Amino acid sequence: MAKTIVMLTGKGKSSRILYHALSEDFHIEKIIQEEGVDRKKFLKRRAKRLGYWRVFGQILFQGALVPLLKKTSKKRADEIMAKYRLNDHSIDKNAIKEVTSVNAQTCMELLQNLKPDIVIVNGTRIISKKILNCVDATFINTHAGITPRYRGVHGGYWALANNDKDHCGVSVHLVDAGIDTGGVLYQKNIEPTPHDNFSTYPLLQLAEGISLMKKAIKDVMAKQVKEVHPDLDSKLWSHPTIWSYMWKRIMRGVK
């Protein structure tokens, strides 16, 4: 019996790439796509948690250095896209249902109407227990980091910045109400080249993660899911500040 697959996504490039890649092997019934988080509210919450000075440094990094890194590494990004046959073209609007948030009532109602067996998560905010429990489905996420050591964001970069190349990679894991704390299905390291940097590590992770996600979907379909909980320290990582990034780049050559 065929399994119904639904995607819960944000509006980013990675969601488009993942959709097109998965569509090569599986029928995606529908994409439920959430609007972006209100940036001012998001930054206020982060500042209360991390401190205003640190968040100021993160904003400087994201606003000044990240665009420059993307511009100077466009050729490398294009090489990765071509090598792994990644497609970031727009998605047919008929395949998408938009919601304000993955945690909104409308999202829950859509899921209950669609009755998915598998829900692929990518680029959303943290999903509430209410949503995770509203349907009898397996929720799976591709995370750009080796969990639980590199939960949160930019796991590949932080592994390299910590001189921890053995844990620079990608995880495909089950989704629970925590932040990247669900049982791991598959993990794989990436091999950055001297031409890679902060802006291309996630593309390498996504490229490797796609094949792992396809394996995970097939496991769910065959009822052969085997989750593990790696014996690693657990830490939640945030964005680098402009000064921490420059220090790591000068002292350790991590771009």
Side-chain angles (χ1 to χ4, degrees):
M1 181 175 165
K3 301 291 185 182
T4 301
I5 302 175
V6 169
M7 294 183 71
L8 280 183
T9 76
K11 294 186 175 182
K13 176 179 178 178
S14 67
S15 294
R16 298 194 300 273
I17 291 173
L18 184 60
Y19 168 77
H20 289 302
L22 295 182
S23 295
E24 294 175 357
D25 294 354
F26 309 100
H27 171 68
I28 308 298
E29 185 68 26
K30 190 66 66 176
I31 302 171
I32 301 176
Q33 189 178 82
E34 73 169 1
E35 295 177 2
V37 180
D38 183 282
R39 184 165 174 78
K40 286 185 178 180
K41 291 181 180 178
F42 175 74
L43 290 175
K44 276 188 176 180
R45 289 197 299 268
R46 191 196 291 176
K48 286 182 179 180
R49 188 175 78 253
L50 301 178
Y52 285 91
W53 180 245
R54 183 175 173 188
V55 171
F56 175 64
Q58 292 175 334
I59 292 171
L60 286 179
F61 174 69
Q62 292 288 333
L65 285 190
V66 171
L68 179 61
L69 290 170
K70 286 182 178 180
K71 184 176 180 180
T72 57
S73 61
K74 184 180 184 305
K75 181 180 178 182
R76 173 57 181 156
D78 290 343
E79 288 175 355
I80 297 170
M81 293 286 290
K83 177 180 178 180
Y84 292 93
R85 298 189 304 110
L86 303 181
N87 176 2
D88 70 337
H89 292 169
S90 59
I91 301 170
D92 185 341
K93 290 183 179 180
N94 293 323
I96 300 172
K97 286 286 187 181
E98 294 189 351
V99 294
T100 55
S101 165
V102 291
N103 296 319
Q105 180 69 22
T106 50
C107 182
M108 183 170 72
E109 292 170 358
L110 279 170
L111 285 170
Q112 290 173 334
N113 289 334
L114 290 165
K115 297 181 175 63
D117 299 290
I118 302 170
V119 179
I120 308 301
V121 178
N122 189 80
T124 72
R125 69 194 78 194
I126 303 304
I127 302 174
S128 68
K129 287 184 179 180
K130 178 183 74 173
I131 297 298
L132 294 173
N133 295 330
C134 78
V135 288
D136 185 17
T138 302
F139 287 70
I140 314 174
N141 179 55
T142 303
H143 171 66
I146 296 294
T147 59
R149 179 167 290 179
Y150 294 102
R151 296 163 44 233
V153 294
H154 311 304
Y157 166 77
W158 284 118
L160 296 174
N162 292 333
N163 197 26
D164 187 17
K165 189 177 180 181
D166 288 344
H167 294 97
C168 178
V170 58
S171 303
V172 169
H173 64 89
L174 299 175
V175 179
D176 59 19
I179 302 176
D180 307 319
T181 53
V184 171
L185 303 182
Y186 290 101
Q187 291 181 323
K188 186 174 182 180
N189 281 12
I190 62 168
E191 295 292 337
T193 73
H195 303 291
D196 287 302
N197 62 37
F198 183 90
S199 71
T200 60
Y201 303 145
L203 198 53
L204 287 171
Q205 290 168 299
L206 178 60
E208 296 292 355
I210 286 169
S211 61
L212 303 184
M213 177 60 81
K214 289 183 178 182
K215 288 181 181 180
I217 293 172
K218 290 175 181 176
D219 287 348
V220 174
M221 290 179 166
K223 296 183 179 180
Q224 295 179 346
V225 174
K226 296 179 181 179
E227 64 174 289
V228 297
H229 294 271
D231 185 19
L232 295 170
D233 52 301
S234 178
K235 185 171 181 179
L236 184 64
W237 297 83
S238 187
H239 305 275
T241 61
I242 192 168
W243 37 84
S244 70
Y245 173 83
M246 291 306 300
W247 176 257
K248 297 288 187 182
R249 181 157 183 159
I250 294 168
M251 299 304 294
R252 293 186 178 173
V254 179
K255 296 186 290 182

